[in-house]
Amino acid sequence: MEDTSAQMNSTVPATADPAVETQTNQATGVRWDLGDLFTSPDDPRLGETEQWARAEAEAFARDYRGRIRVEGGPAPELMAEALHRYEALLDASYKIHAYAYLRHAADTTAPGVGALLSRSQELITRVQTQIMFFELDWIALEDEAARPALESNQCLRWRHFLRSSRRYRPHTLTEPEEIILAEKQVTGGQAMRRLFDEVNSSLTYPVELDGKVREMTQSEALALLYHPERGVRRAAHEGFSQGLREGTHVPTFILNTTVLDHAVNSRLKKFEHPADSRHLANEIERQSVEALMQACENHYGLVQDYYRLKGRLLGLDTLYDYDRYAPVQFHVPECDWPEACRIVRGAYHDFSPRMGEIVAEFLDRRWVDAEPRPGKRGGAFCSATVPSAHPYIRMNYTGKMNDVMTLAHELGHGVHQRLAQPRGILQNTTPLTVAETASVFGEMLVFQRLIRSQQEPQVRLALLCRKLEDSFATVFRQITLTRFEELLHARRAAEELSAEQLDELWIEANRPMHGEVVHLTEGYRRWWLYISHFVHTPFYCYAYSFGELLVLSLWKRYQEEGAPFVPKYVELLEAGGSDTPHDLVARIGLDLNDPGFWDAGLSVLREFLEEAQELADGI
């Protein structure tokens, strides 16, 4: 059984995160209520759920071991019965892990949260090792033996899961070997990922402002890259770079170790390329991913054209890396939390009343944690938790217009996950390639609402520039991150890499996108160090590019069709992960195998840029 814990939490790209300015915090007191999971680590329900999961795992093994991998295959009735119990067991064990993860994300320094997280991971490992035989025995069946259950009405609900899991047949080890790998994860990969998070959360960054040095969190320092004053941006960049250099040793070791661990697992499971396991999980071919990446790289000129425009708007002869997120020289009003909620509710409701009702649930029932505070990790995510509960959103809201877009993004994930909950834990989550569909589409809904509400060309231009920059971070920057990972995994196969060697790979991957237009400073060479995807989910990043361009194509279709598009789109979200990405998208009338598919999405970005250039010329 694949470890789905990483897929439970979909996180916005690191550079798209509007970081924290605690002095302008406008979401004070907006904290989530995790009581629908558990009320506290001492909640009796938590202990009872854990005891039930342990006992049920043993009972499941007693009842079904030796009855799946049999001549002629399992009876459909037996398989359906087992799948019902299998889902209930996974739901219970992952519910505990979801609660522990969310507690840890809300405050990594709180007493006992690390221990609770470890305990939940140990429970999942224990359950996995006892029931692992179920999927392994199913995968091992010959096609003819698997067909009766696979094609039966009794197992219709799980048909895609049953088909999809069998794709792992060439990459599945024996049960004892798979158990060893799962148990070693607790003290291996999982431990390294937790250490990476805790080290990054504890780092501070010395930023000198007005002659005084302030020790800032990661989120606080990154927020200043959006500051209108160039001196402040440069100081934040220098302070952040210095903090990364001073905290280099442990994250460098963790990255080397996790990459090697991934290589070992890939070799044992007979994957030819380090990214092939991710492609298999994403239900996409390596050739399709490469076509996506090359299409984006062929349009790097689009990024550079925008940065030329931005340099002109900022009045700068040379654009440095710390200027990329500078606001254009027009005032964009801030937005307090109640107004942000009103805007986002309205945008979703006007598109689909049903989606608007789900957004209201998140905002009214305390399923969102938006208050910036010490000990809270940076970034934003929506955790699907488990189908028996509901998703939760964590972000840091500081009143910036970009925060409104982040709220829209994460609520899109929440809407998607909520609509797909009836599919059950085996099929409610999508592959990463389509996981960003609802989130980015939600951003487009809110962006269009914001643009239409602004009469001033200067404000419209500023919002358009922000949207282009977010799209570039989601499309093009994620391709550079994936190219960095390719270089990283290839070089790590030969030797352990020093921080300086990693610096070189980082610059090699980033230079093509920025060209001669953006000057990459010496300090930027080490900015690979804080990106968690490299440690948590190798080769995750291209899915952002895939998802953004997919949504731009969907958006174009919505503009063409209008209201008839809406029920088809909602049906797509309701499907969750119950079909392949290709077949899911085909429901909207799009073909992922069409050579012009990626170009269609990229053309929307070109239209945005042309509109921005026209506004700039007029102003």
Side-chain angles (χ1 to χ4, degrees), residues 408-441:
H409 180 104
E410 298 307 333
L411 282 168
H413 281 305
V415 167
H416 196 174
Q417 293 157 359
R418 195 79 168 131
L419 287 170
Q421 276 183 302
R423 299 290 179 177
I425 198 168
L426 296 176
Q427 295 187 148
N428 68 320
T429 56
T430 65
L432 294 178
T433 41
V434 290
E436 299 296 323
T437 302
S439 57
V440 179
F441 197 90

PDB file of all heavy atoms in Angstrom, residues 408-441:
ATOM      1  N   ALA A 408      -8.514  31.889  -1.684  1.00  0.00           N
ATOM      2  CA  ALA A 408      -9.297  31.325  -2.785  1.00  0.00           C
ATOM      3  C   ALA A 408      -8.717  29.996  -3.250  1.00  0.00           C
ATOM      4  O   ALA A 408      -9.456  29.045  -3.532  1.00  0.00           O
ATOM      5  CB  ALA A 408      -9.351  32.319  -3.951  1.00  0.00           C
ATOM      6  N   HIS A 409      -7.390  29.931  -3.326  1.00  0.00           N
ATOM      7  CA  HIS A 409      -6.685  28.716  -3.775  1.00  0.00           C
ATOM      8  C   HIS A 409      -6.983  27.545  -2.838  1.00  0.00           C
ATOM      9  O   HIS A 409      -7.402  26.467  -3.277  1.00  0.00           O
ATOM     10  CB  HIS A 409      -5.186  29.006  -3.819  1.00  0.00           C
ATOM     11  CG  HIS A 409      -4.340  27.855  -4.256  1.00  0.00           C
ATOM     12  ND1 HIS A 409      -3.785  27.777  -5.509  1.00  0.00           N
ATOM     13  CD2 HIS A 409      -3.942  26.738  -3.608  1.00  0.00           C
ATOM     14  CE1 HIS A 409      -3.086  26.655  -5.611  1.00  0.00           C
ATOM     15  NE2 HIS A 409      -3.168  26.007  -4.462  1.00  0.00           N
ATOM     16  N   GLU A 410      -6.765  27.767  -1.538  1.00  0.00           N
ATOM     17  CA  GLU A 410      -6.926  26.670  -0.590  1.00  0.00           C
ATOM     18  C   GLU A 410      -8.392  26.265  -0.446  1.00  0.00           C
ATOM     19  O   GLU A 410      -8.710  25.091  -0.243  1.00  0.00           O
ATOM     20  CB  GLU A 410      -6.328  27.048   0.760  1.00  0.00           C
ATOM     21  CG  GLU A 410      -4.833  27.336   0.733  1.00  0.00           C
ATOM     22  CD  GLU A 410      -4.012  26.223   0.096  1.00  0.00           C
ATOM     23  OE1 GLU A 410      -4.441  25.048   0.121  1.00  0.00           O
ATOM     24  OE2 GLU A 410      -2.924  26.529  -0.438  1.00  0.00           O
ATOM     25  N   LEU A 411      -9.310  27.227  -0.542  1.00  0.00           N
ATOM     26  CA  LEU A 411     -10.729  26.875  -0.510  1.00  0.00           C
ATOM     27  C   LEU A 411     -11.118  26.047  -1.731  1.00  0.00           C
ATOM     28  O   LEU A 411     -12.020  25.199  -1.656  1.00  0.00           O
ATOM     29  CB  LEU A 411     -11.587  28.132  -0.420  1.00  0.00           C
ATOM     30  CG  LEU A 411     -11.671  28.754   0.983  1.00  0.00           C
ATOM     31  CD1 LEU A 411     -12.291  30.131   0.929  1.00  0.00           C
ATOM     32  CD2 LEU A 411     -12.468  27.843   1.926  1.00  0.00           C
ATOM     33  N   GLY A 412     -10.434  26.277  -2.854  1.00  0.00           N
ATOM     34  CA  GLY A 412     -10.670  25.426  -4.019  1.00  0.00           C
ATOM     35  C   GLY A 412     -10.339  23.979  -3.723  1.00  0.00           C
ATOM     36  O   GLY A 412     -11.098  23.055  -4.069  1.00  0.00           O
ATOM     37  N   HIS A 413      -9.192  23.767  -3.062  1.00  0.00           N
ATOM     38  CA  HIS A 413      -8.852  22.403  -2.632  1.00  0.00           C
ATOM     39  C   HIS A 413      -9.940  21.851  -1.717  1.00  0.00           C
ATOM     40  O   HIS A 413     -10.355  20.695  -1.838  1.00  0.00           O
ATOM     41  CB  HIS A 413      -7.526  22.406  -1.876  1.00  0.00           C
ATOM     42  CG  HIS A 413      -6.319  22.476  -2.742  1.00  0.00           C
ATOM     43  ND1 HIS A 413      -6.072  21.581  -3.762  1.00  0.00           N
ATOM     44  CD2 HIS A 413      -5.256  23.335  -2.728  1.00  0.00           C
ATOM     45  CE1 HIS A 413      -4.921  21.880  -4.344  1.00  0.00           C
ATOM     46  NE2 HIS A 413      -4.412  22.945  -3.738  1.00  0.00           N
ATOM     47  N   GLY A 414     -10.372  22.692  -0.773  1.00  0.00           N
ATOM     48  CA  GLY A 414     -11.380  22.233   0.174  1.00  0.00           C
ATOM     49  C   GLY A 414     -12.684  21.852  -0.498  1.00  0.00           C
ATOM     50  O   GLY A 414     -13.305  20.833  -0.154  1.00  0.00           O
ATOM     51  N   VAL A 415     -13.124  22.657  -1.455  1.00  0.00           N
ATOM     52  CA  VAL A 415     -14.336  22.347  -2.203  1.00  0.00           C
ATOM     53  C   VAL A 415     -14.181  21.023  -2.948  1.00  0.00           C
ATOM     54  O   VAL A 415     -15.077  20.157  -2.928  1.00  0.00           O
ATOM     55  CB  VAL A 415     -14.673  23.491  -3.184  1.00  0.00           C
ATOM     56  CG1 VAL A 415     -15.740  23.061  -4.179  1.00  0.00           C
ATOM     57  CG2 VAL A 415     -15.121  24.736  -2.422  1.00  0.00           C
ATOM     58  N   HIS A 416     -13.043  20.857  -3.604  1.00  0.00           N
ATOM     59  CA  HIS A 416     -12.762  19.631  -4.359  1.00  0.00           C
ATOM     60  C   HIS A 416     -12.825  18.414  -3.444  1.00  0.00           C
ATOM     61  O   HIS A 416     -13.501  17.404  -3.734  1.00  0.00           O
ATOM     62  CB  HIS A 416     -11.383  19.758  -5.013  1.00  0.00           C
ATOM     63  CG  HIS A 416     -11.129  18.765  -6.096  1.00  0.00           C
ATOM     64  ND1 HIS A 416      -9.998  18.790  -6.881  1.00  0.00           N
ATOM     65  CD2 HIS A 416     -11.843  17.691  -6.529  1.00  0.00           C
ATOM     66  CE1 HIS A 416     -10.038  17.801  -7.746  1.00  0.00           C
ATOM     67  NE2 HIS A 416     -11.146  17.110  -7.547  1.00  0.00           N
ATOM     68  N   GLN A 417     -12.135  18.499  -2.326  1.00  0.00           N
ATOM     69  CA  GLN A 417     -12.074  17.372  -1.405  1.00  0.00           C
ATOM     70  C   GLN A 417     -13.433  17.075  -0.788  1.00  0.00           C
ATOM     71  O   GLN A 417     -13.802  15.912  -0.587  1.00  0.00           O
ATOM     72  CB  GLN A 417     -11.023  17.653  -0.333  1.00  0.00           C
ATOM     73  CG  GLN A 417      -9.602  17.691  -0.891  1.00  0.00           C
ATOM     74  CD  GLN A 417      -8.638  18.479  -0.033  1.00  0.00           C
ATOM     75  OE1 GLN A 417      -9.006  19.036   1.000  1.00  0.00           O
ATOM     76  NE2 GLN A 417      -7.380  18.537  -0.453  1.00  0.00           N
ATOM     77  N   ARG A 418     -14.184  18.126  -0.497  1.00  0.00           N
ATOM     78  CA  ARG A 418     -15.513  17.945   0.094  1.00  0.00           C
ATOM     79  C   ARG A 418     -16.460  17.280  -0.909  1.00  0.00           C
ATOM     80  O   ARG A 418     -17.221  16.373  -0.548  1.00  0.00           O
ATOM     81  CB  ARG A 418     -16.059  19.308   0.506  1.00  0.00           C
ATOM     82  CG  ARG A 418     -17.247  19.260   1.448  1.00  0.00           C
ATOM     83  CD  ARG A 418     -16.817  18.987   2.866  1.00  0.00           C
ATOM     84  NE  ARG A 418     -17.913  19.225   3.801  1.00  0.00           N
ATOM     85  CZ  ARG A 418     -18.275  18.381   4.742  1.00  0.00           C
ATOM     86  NH1 ARG A 418     -17.649  17.218   4.881  1.00  0.00           N
ATOM     87  NH2 ARG A 418     -19.254  18.666   5.576  1.00  0.00           N
ATOM     88  N   LEU A 419     -16.422  17.721  -2.153  1.00  0.00           N
ATOM     89  CA  LEU A 419     -17.291  17.132  -3.176  1.00  0.00           C
ATOM     90  C   LEU A 419     -16.948  15.668  -3.436  1.00  0.00           C
ATOM     91  O   LEU A 419     -17.823  14.862  -3.767  1.00  0.00           O
ATOM     92  CB  LEU A 419     -17.182  17.934  -4.474  1.00  0.00           C
ATOM     93  CG  LEU A 419     -17.860  19.304  -4.499  1.00  0.00           C
ATOM     94  CD1 LEU A 419     -17.469  20.077  -5.758  1.00  0.00           C
ATOM     95  CD2 LEU A 419     -19.381  19.161  -4.411  1.00  0.00           C
ATOM     96  N   ALA A 420     -15.666  15.331  -3.302  1.00  0.00           N
ATOM     97  CA  ALA A 420     -15.224  13.968  -3.621  1.00  0.00           C
ATOM     98  C   ALA A 420     -15.274  13.026  -2.425  1.00  0.00           C
ATOM     99  O   ALA A 420     -14.980  11.837  -2.577  1.00  0.00           O
ATOM    100  CB  ALA A 420     -13.799  14.012  -4.186  1.00  0.00           C
ATOM    101  N   GLN A 421     -15.646  13.509  -1.246  1.00  0.00           N
ATOM    102  CA  GLN A 421     -15.640  12.663  -0.052  1.00  0.00           C
ATOM    103  C   GLN A 421     -16.449  11.374  -0.191  1.00  0.00           C
ATOM    104  O   GLN A 421     -16.024  10.327   0.298  1.00  0.00           O
ATOM    105  CB  GLN A 421     -16.135  13.461   1.158  1.00  0.00           C
ATOM    106  CG  GLN A 421     -15.040  14.277   1.823  1.00  0.00           C
ATOM    107  CD  GLN A 421     -15.542  15.002   3.063  1.00  0.00           C
ATOM    108  OE1 GLN A 421     -16.479  15.787   2.997  1.00  0.00           O
ATOM    109  NE2 GLN A 421     -14.927  14.717   4.186  1.00  0.00           N
ATOM    110  N   PRO A 422     -17.615  11.384  -0.858  1.00  0.00           N
ATOM    111  CA  PRO A 422     -18.374  10.132  -0.980  1.00  0.00           C
ATOM    112  C   PRO A 422     -17.622   9.020  -1.712  1.00  0.00           C
ATOM    113  O   PRO A 422     -18.026   7.855  -1.637  1.00  0.00           O
ATOM    114  CB  PRO A 422     -19.615  10.564  -1.767  1.00  0.00           C
ATOM    115  CG  PRO A 422     -19.788  12.013  -1.454  1.00  0.00           C
ATOM    116  CD  PRO A 422     -18.384  12.538  -1.369  1.00  0.00           C
ATOM    117  N   ARG A 423     -16.547   9.366  -2.405  1.00  0.00           N
ATOM    118  CA  ARG A 423     -15.769   8.333  -3.114  1.00  0.00           C
ATOM    119  C   ARG A 423     -14.997   7.434  -2.162  1.00  0.00           C
ATOM    120  O   ARG A 423     -14.494   6.376  -2.566  1.00  0.00           O
ATOM    121  CB  ARG A 423     -14.797   8.988  -4.103  1.00  0.00           C
ATOM    122  CG  ARG A 423     -15.470   9.809  -5.181  1.00  0.00           C
ATOM    123  CD  ARG A 423     -16.210   8.922  -6.159  1.00  0.00           C
ATOM    124  NE  ARG A 423     -16.888   9.697  -7.195  1.00  0.00           N
ATOM    125  CZ  ARG A 423     -17.551   9.157  -8.206  1.00  0.00           C
ATOM    126  NH1 ARG A 423     -17.601   7.850  -8.330  1.00  0.00           N
ATOM    127  NH2 ARG A 423     -18.166   9.920  -9.095  1.00  0.00           N
ATOM    128  N   GLY A 424     -14.844   7.855  -0.899  1.00  0.00           N
ATOM    129  CA  GLY A 424     -14.126   7.041   0.065  1.00  0.00           C
ATOM    130  C   GLY A 424     -12.634   7.273   0.012  1.00  0.00           C
ATOM    131  O   GLY A 424     -12.096   7.875  -0.918  1.00  0.00           O
ATOM    132  N   ILE A 425     -11.933   6.796   1.018  1.00  0.00           N
ATOM    133  CA  ILE A 425     -10.527   7.114   1.184  1.00  0.00           C
ATOM    134  C   ILE A 425      -9.653   6.524   0.082  1.00  0.00           C
ATOM    135  O   ILE A 425      -8.550   7.015  -0.179  1.00  0.00           O
ATOM    136  CB  ILE A 425     -10.030   6.636   2.570  1.00  0.00           C
ATOM    137  CG1 ILE A 425      -8.712   7.333   2.931  1.00  0.00           C
ATOM    138  CG2 ILE A 425      -9.902   5.115   2.619  1.00  0.00           C
ATOM    139  CD1 ILE A 425      -8.298   7.160   4.375  1.00  0.00           C
ATOM    140  N   LEU A 426     -10.117   5.512  -0.606  1.00  0.00           N
ATOM    141  CA  LEU A 426      -9.318   4.904  -1.664  1.00  0.00           C
ATOM    142  C   LEU A 426      -9.420   5.657  -2.990  1.00  0.00           C
ATOM    143  O   LEU A 426      -8.572   5.468  -3.859  1.00  0.00           O
ATOM    144  CB  LEU A 426      -9.741   3.448  -1.878  1.00  0.00           C
ATOM    145  CG  LEU A 426      -9.501   2.503  -0.699  1.00  0.00           C
ATOM    146  CD1 LEU A 426     -10.045   1.115  -1.013  1.00  0.00           C
ATOM    147  CD2 LEU A 426      -8.021   2.425  -0.339  1.00  0.00           C
ATOM    148  N   GLN A 427     -10.443   6.499  -3.156  1.00  0.00           N
ATOM    149  CA  GLN A 427     -10.643   7.152  -4.448  1.00  0.00           C
ATOM    150  C   GLN A 427     -11.059   8.614  -4.344  1.00  0.00           C
ATOM    151  O   GLN A 427     -11.406   9.219  -5.356  1.00  0.00           O
ATOM    152  CB  GLN A 427     -11.701   6.400  -5.276  1.00  0.00           C
ATOM    153  CG  GLN A 427     -11.287   5.001  -5.662  1.00  0.00           C
ATOM    154  CD  GLN A 427     -12.260   4.336  -6.627  1.00  0.00           C
ATOM    155  OE1 GLN A 427     -11.869   3.532  -7.463  1.00  0.00           O
ATOM    156  NE2 GLN A 427     -13.536   4.649  -6.539  1.00  0.00           N
ATOM    157  N   ASN A 428     -10.997   9.209  -3.157  1.00  0.00           N
ATOM    158  CA  ASN A 428     -11.420  10.611  -3.079  1.00  0.00           C
ATOM    159  C   ASN A 428     -10.315  11.570  -3.488  1.00  0.00           C
ATOM    160  O   ASN A 428     -10.583  12.668  -3.961  1.00  0.00           O
ATOM    161  CB  ASN A 428     -11.932  10.951  -1.676  1.00  0.00           C
ATOM    162  CG  ASN A 428     -10.841  10.941  -0.632  1.00  0.00           C
ATOM    163  OD1 ASN A 428      -9.965  10.079  -0.653  1.00  0.00           O
ATOM    164  ND2 ASN A 428     -10.894  11.874   0.297  1.00  0.00           N
ATOM    165  N   THR A 429      -9.047  11.191  -3.305  1.00  0.00           N
ATOM    166  CA  THR A 429      -7.953  12.076  -3.689  1.00  0.00           C
ATOM    167  C   THR A 429      -7.508  11.789  -5.111  1.00  0.00           C
ATOM    168  O   THR A 429      -7.518  10.640  -5.572  1.00  0.00           O
ATOM    169  CB  THR A 429      -6.749  11.913  -2.742  1.00  0.00           C
ATOM    170  OG1 THR A 429      -6.339  10.536  -2.722  1.00  0.00           O
ATOM    171  CG2 THR A 429      -7.099  12.343  -1.340  1.00  0.00           C
ATOM    172  N   THR A 430      -7.120  12.850  -5.806  1.00  0.00           N
ATOM    173  CA  THR A 430      -6.704  12.731  -7.202  1.00  0.00           C
ATOM    174  C   THR A 430      -5.196  12.593  -7.298  1.00  0.00           C
ATOM    175  O   THR A 430      -4.469  12.927  -6.356  1.00  0.00           O
ATOM    176  CB  THR A 430      -7.114  13.991  -7.982  1.00  0.00           C
ATOM    177  OG1 THR A 430      -6.389  15.112  -7.449  1.00  0.00           O
ATOM    178  CG2 THR A 430      -8.592  14.252  -7.865  1.00  0.00           C
ATOM    179  N   PRO A 431      -4.695  12.144  -8.443  1.00  0.00           N
ATOM    180  CA  PRO A 431      -3.252  12.257  -8.683  1.00  0.00           C
ATOM    181  C   PRO A 431      -2.826  13.716  -8.621  1.00  0.00           C
ATOM    182  O   PRO A 431      -3.633  14.636  -8.830  1.00  0.00           O
ATOM    183  CB  PRO A 431      -3.082  11.689 -10.094  1.00  0.00           C
ATOM    184  CG  PRO A 431      -4.289  10.846 -10.321  1.00  0.00           C
ATOM    185  CD  PRO A 431      -5.403  11.491  -9.551  1.00  0.00           C
ATOM    186  N   LEU A 432      -1.571  13.950  -8.329  1.00  0.00           N
ATOM    187  CA  LEU A 432      -1.080  15.314  -8.178  1.00  0.00           C
ATOM    188  C   LEU A 432      -1.286  16.148  -9.434  1.00  0.00           C
ATOM    189  O   LEU A 432      -1.429  17.371  -9.360  1.00  0.00           O
ATOM    190  CB  LEU A 432       0.406  15.295  -7.813  1.00  0.00           C
ATOM    191  CG  LEU A 432       0.752  14.697  -6.447  1.00  0.00           C
ATOM    192  CD1 LEU A 432       2.261  14.692  -6.250  1.00  0.00           C
ATOM    193  CD2 LEU A 432       0.066  15.435  -5.321  1.00  0.00           C
ATOM    194  N   THR A 433      -1.304  15.499 -10.587  1.00  0.00           N
ATOM    195  CA  THR A 433      -1.435  16.236 -11.845  1.00  0.00           C
ATOM    196  C   THR A 433      -2.751  16.985 -11.961  1.00  0.00           C
ATOM    197  O   THR A 433      -2.822  18.000 -12.663  1.00  0.00           O
ATOM    198  CB  THR A 433      -1.299  15.270 -13.035  1.00  0.00           C
ATOM    199  OG1 THR A 433      -2.003  14.056 -12.719  1.00  0.00           O
ATOM    200  CG2 THR A 433       0.148  14.961 -13.322  1.00  0.00           C
ATOM    201  N   VAL A 434      -3.799  16.492 -11.320  1.00  0.00           N
ATOM    202  CA  VAL A 434      -5.083  17.196 -11.363  1.00  0.00           C
ATOM    203  C   VAL A 434      -5.513  17.680  -9.979  1.00  0.00           C
ATOM    204  O   VAL A 434      -6.624  18.185  -9.814  1.00  0.00           O
ATOM    205  CB  VAL A 434      -6.190  16.316 -11.989  1.00  0.00           C
ATOM    206  CG1 VAL A 434      -5.954  16.135 -13.465  1.00  0.00           C
ATOM    207  CG2 VAL A 434      -6.271  14.960 -11.301  1.00  0.00           C
ATOM    208  N   ALA A 435      -4.623  17.561  -8.993  1.00  0.00           N
ATOM    209  CA  ALA A 435      -4.959  17.976  -7.636  1.00  0.00           C
ATOM    210  C   ALA A 435      -5.137  19.486  -7.518  1.00  0.00           C
ATOM    211  O   ALA A 435      -5.816  19.967  -6.608  1.00  0.00           O
ATOM    212  CB  ALA A 435      -3.885  17.504  -6.660  1.00  0.00           C
ATOM    213  N   GLU A 436      -4.517  20.252  -8.427  1.00  0.00           N
ATOM    214  CA  GLU A 436      -4.594  21.711  -8.353  1.00  0.00           C
ATOM    215  C   GLU A 436      -5.745  22.285  -9.189  1.00  0.00           C
ATOM    216  O   GLU A 436      -5.896  23.508  -9.272  1.00  0.00           O
ATOM    217  CB  GLU A 436      -3.274  22.329  -8.826  1.00  0.00           C
ATOM    218  CG  GLU A 436      -2.060  21.927  -8.002  1.00  0.00           C
ATOM    219  CD  GLU A 436      -2.127  22.403  -6.563  1.00  0.00           C
ATOM    220  OE1 GLU A 436      -2.624  23.528  -6.328  1.00  0.00           O
ATOM    221  OE2 GLU A 436      -1.710  21.649  -5.671  1.00  0.00           O
ATOM    222  N   THR A 437      -6.550  21.430  -9.785  1.00  0.00           N
ATOM    223  CA  THR A 437      -7.585  21.908 -10.698  1.00  0.00           C
ATOM    224  C   THR A 437      -8.527  22.896 -10.028  1.00  0.00           C
ATOM    225  O   THR A 437      -8.717  24.027 -10.486  1.00  0.00           O
ATOM    226  CB  THR A 437      -8.385  20.724 -11.261  1.00  0.00           C
ATOM    227  OG1 THR A 437      -7.495  19.817 -11.926  1.00  0.00           O
ATOM    228  CG2 THR A 437      -9.441  21.198 -12.235  1.00  0.00           C
ATOM    229  N   ALA A 438      -9.147  22.485  -8.931  1.00  0.00           N
ATOM    230  CA  ALA A 438     -10.151  23.341  -8.287  1.00  0.00           C
ATOM    231  C   ALA A 438      -9.521  24.543  -7.621  1.00  0.00           C
ATOM    232  O   ALA A 438     -10.125  25.622  -7.568  1.00  0.00           O
ATOM    233  CB  ALA A 438     -10.933  22.523  -7.261  1.00  0.00           C
ATOM    234  N   SER A 439      -8.314  24.394  -7.105  1.00  0.00           N
ATOM    235  CA  SER A 439      -7.658  25.497  -6.389  1.00  0.00           C
ATOM    236  C   SER A 439      -7.312  26.640  -7.345  1.00  0.00           C
ATOM    237  O   SER A 439      -7.590  27.810  -7.073  1.00  0.00           O
ATOM    238  CB  SER A 439      -6.413  25.003  -5.669  1.00  0.00           C
ATOM    239  OG  SER A 439      -5.513  24.388  -6.573  1.00  0.00           O
ATOM    240  N   VAL A 440      -6.711  26.308  -8.474  1.00  0.00           N
ATOM    241  CA  VAL A 440      -6.316  27.345  -9.423  1.00  0.00           C
ATOM    242  C   VAL A 440      -7.551  27.930 -10.118  1.00  0.00           C
ATOM    243  O   VAL A 440      -7.618  29.135 -10.393  1.00  0.00           O
ATOM    244  CB  VAL A 440      -5.309  26.787 -10.443  1.00  0.00           C
ATOM    245  CG1 VAL A 440      -4.903  27.855 -11.453  1.00  0.00           C
ATOM    246  CG2 VAL A 440      -4.068  26.256  -9.728  1.00  0.00           C
ATOM    247  N   PHE A 441      -8.551  27.085 -10.380  1.00  0.00           N
ATOM    248  CA  PHE A 441      -9.791  27.604 -10.969  1.00  0.00           C
ATOM    249  C   PHE A 441     -10.463  28.572  -9.997  1.00  0.00           C
ATOM    250  O   PHE A 441     -10.994  29.618 -10.411  1.00  0.00           O
ATOM    251  CB  PHE A 441     -10.738  26.450 -11.313  1.00  0.00           C
ATOM    252  CG  PHE A 441     -11.836  26.831 -12.263  1.00  0.00           C
ATOM    253  CD1 PHE A 441     -11.668  26.710 -13.624  1.00  0.00           C
ATOM    254  CD2 PHE A 441     -13.049  27.315 -11.786  1.00  0.00           C
ATOM    255  CE1 PHE A 441     -12.674  27.066 -14.510  1.00  0.00           C
ATOM    256  CE2 PHE A 441     -14.065  27.676 -12.658  1.00  0.00           C
ATOM    257  CZ  PHE A 441     -13.877  27.551 -14.026  1.00  0.00           C
TER     258      PHE A 441
END
